[in-house]
């Protein structure tokens, strides 16, 4: 049986594959910012693999607010709690 972290990683990998099928890849974060204003990428490890449990994001400021024109970094860390009952 897979650990809960393994199940989460498999699910994230599957959903990322489906997302990428329907959303063509745009080269580079700056291109993505120009097209949508939002960037979310999993961490790339030294060996070239990706860590789907750690994402680096950039969120654009909402138009018509004091944050308009700004870009705000966000890190999303996913982890699993395992509850052991005695």
């Amino acid at each position: 049986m897979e650990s809960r972290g393994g199940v989460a990683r498999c699910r994230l990998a599957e959903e990322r594959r489906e997302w990428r099928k329907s959303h063509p890849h745009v080269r580079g974060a700056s291109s993505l910012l120009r097209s949508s204003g939002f960037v979310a990428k999993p961490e790339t490890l030294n060996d070239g693999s990706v860590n789907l449990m750690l994402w680096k994001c950039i969120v654009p400021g909402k138009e018509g607010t004091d944050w308009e024109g700004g870009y705000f970094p966000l890190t999303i860390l996913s982890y699993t709690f395992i509850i052991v009952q005695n």
Side-chain angles (χ1 to χ4, degrees):
M1 181 177 180
E2 285 187 78
S3 70
R4 290 189 179 260
V7 171
R9 282 182 186 87
C10 288
R11 176 69 185 267
L12 286 168
E14 178 184 331
E15 291 195 17
R16 183 171 184 247
R17 261 191 310 277
E18 290 301 314
W19 171 266
R20 292 182 79 176
K21 283 181 189 176
S22 62
H23 297 79
H25 180 68
V26 178
R27 260 191 176 298
S30 60
S31 297
L32 247 173
L33 279 171
R34 284 193 301 273
S35 66
S36 69
F38 179 83
V39 176
K41 295 176 69 173
E43 176 187 45
T44 302
L45 303 176
N46 291 336
D47 65 1
S49 64
V50 293
N51 177 2
L52 294 175
M53 304 306 276
L54 180 63
W55 289 72
K56 300 291 184 175
C57 309
I58 299 174
V59 179
K62 185 175 180 179
E63 291 181 14
T65 69
D66 290 341
W67 296 278
E68 181 176 5
Y71 292 97
F72 305 93
L74 170 71
T75 299
I76 300 174
L77 174 62
S78 301
Y79 54 93
T80 304
F81 288 105
I82 300 175
I83 299 171
V84 178
Q85 294 179 346
N86 295 331

